[in-house]
C-alpha cells in the first residue's frame, strides 16, 4: 500500500509541476501581451500629448513677418549678464531696411544712415501706444 501512495504522490507532483510549467508559460504569454498592449497605449498617449502641446505652443507664437520701413525693437542679450529689474532688455526702435530670405533683418537707427544685420529672432514688432497726455489731479481730503 505504501508504494501505491508514493506512486500517487509522485504522479500528483509530476502533474502539478507540468501544469505549473505550462500554466506559468501561458501566464507569461498573457503578461507579455498585456505589456505590449500597455506599451502601445502609452506610446499613443505620448503621441497625442505631444501633438496637443505643439498645437498650444504654435497658437501662442506671434508672427514675425517684417516689412521695410517698419519699426522694431532689438533684444540686447548683453544686459542679461547684469541683473536688475529696471533695465530693459529691448532697445530701439529701429527701422527695418530689408529682410533676407534666411530670416536675417537689416536695421538702421531712425536718425542715421548706418545699417546692421541681426538675426530675425532677436527682433520684435514695436507698437506705439496712443497715450493720453492729459493729467488729472485728485484732491485727498483729510478724514
Amino acid at each position: 500500500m505504501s508504494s501505491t501512495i508514493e506512486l500517487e504522490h509522485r504522479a500528483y507532483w509530476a502533474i502539478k509541476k507540468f501544469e505549473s510549467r505550462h500554466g506559468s508559460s501561458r501566464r507569461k504569454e498573457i503578461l507579455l501581451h498585456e505589456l505590449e498592449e500597455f506599451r502601445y497605449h502609452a506610446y499613443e498617449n505620448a503621441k497625442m500629448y505631444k501633438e496637443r502641446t505643439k498645437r498650444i505652443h504654435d497658437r501662442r507664437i506671434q508672427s514675425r513677418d517684417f516689412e521695410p520701413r517698419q519699426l522694431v525693437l532689438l533684444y540686447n542679450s548683453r544686459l542679461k549678464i547684469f541683473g536688475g529689474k529696471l533695465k530693459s532688455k529691448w532697445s530701439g526702435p529701429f527701422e527695418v531696411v530689408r529682410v533676407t530670405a534666411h530670416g536675417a533683418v537689416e536695421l538702421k537707427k531712425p536718425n542715421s544712415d548706418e545699417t546692421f544685420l541681426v538675426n530675425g529672432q532677436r527682433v520684435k514688432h514695436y507698437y506705439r501706444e496712443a497715450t493720453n497726455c492729459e493729467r488729472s489731479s485728485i484732491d485727498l481730503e483729510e478724514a
Side-chain angles (χ1 to χ4, degrees):
M1 257 205 187
S2 64
S3 63
T4 56
I5 293 176
E6 286 178 19
L7 271 174
E8 285 178 11
H9 186 68
R10 284 185 184 174
Y12 173 76
W13 278 108
I15 292 170
K16 191 125 174 141
K17 236 181 200 182
F18 179 79
E19 285 178 356
S20 68
R21 282 186 188 162
H22 294 291
S24 66
S25 66
R26 179 71 181 139
R27 276 189 235 123
K28 284 180 186 176
E29 280 182 32
I30 292 170
L31 282 176
L32 286 175
H33 179 69
E34 287 176 1
L35 284 174
E36 286 292 324
E37 193 174 330
F38 181 74
R39 183 168 49 181
Y40 173 75
H41 288 301
Y43 174 76
E44 288 296 318
N45 286 340
K47 188 176 174 183
M48 288 188 312
Y49 173 77
K50 284 180 185 179
E51 289 172 356
R52 190 171 3 124
T53 53
K54 184 176 178 1
R55 266 187 273 129
I56 291 169
H57 179 264
D58 289 348
R59 202 177 321 139
R60 294 180 131 194
I61 293 177
Q62 296 175 355
S63 66
R64 293 195 178 215
D65 300 326
F66 302 108
E67 298 175 6
R69 302 185 54 108
Q70 193 174 27
L71 293 177
V72 296
L73 295 175
L74 176 65
Y75 182 72
N76 191 351
S77 60
R78 292 185 181 175
L79 283 177
K80 239 191 329 187
I81 298 169
F82 309 107
K85 292 182 180 180
L86 301 177
K87 290 184 181 177
S88 176
K89 295 177 184 167
W90 295 94
S91 57
F94 296 97
E95 186 178 328
V96 176
V97 176
R98 70 181 172 95
V99 180
T100 66
H102 300 291
V105 180
E106 188 174 356
L107 301 177
K108 77 169 195 162
K109 291 185 181 178
N111 298 332
S112 71
D113 293 331
E114 189 178 324
T115 62
F116 55 96
L117 272 172
V118 295
N119 187 346
Q121 294 178 348
R122 294 183 59 205
V123 177
K124 73 175 181 178
H125 292 282
Y126 174 68
Y127 300 106
R128 287 190 206 174
E129 293 182 23
T131 56
N132 190 359
C133 296
E134 296 178 18
R135 294 187 180 187
S136 60
S137 62
I138 299 172
D139 293 330
L140 300 176
E141 296 178 15
E142 292 183 29

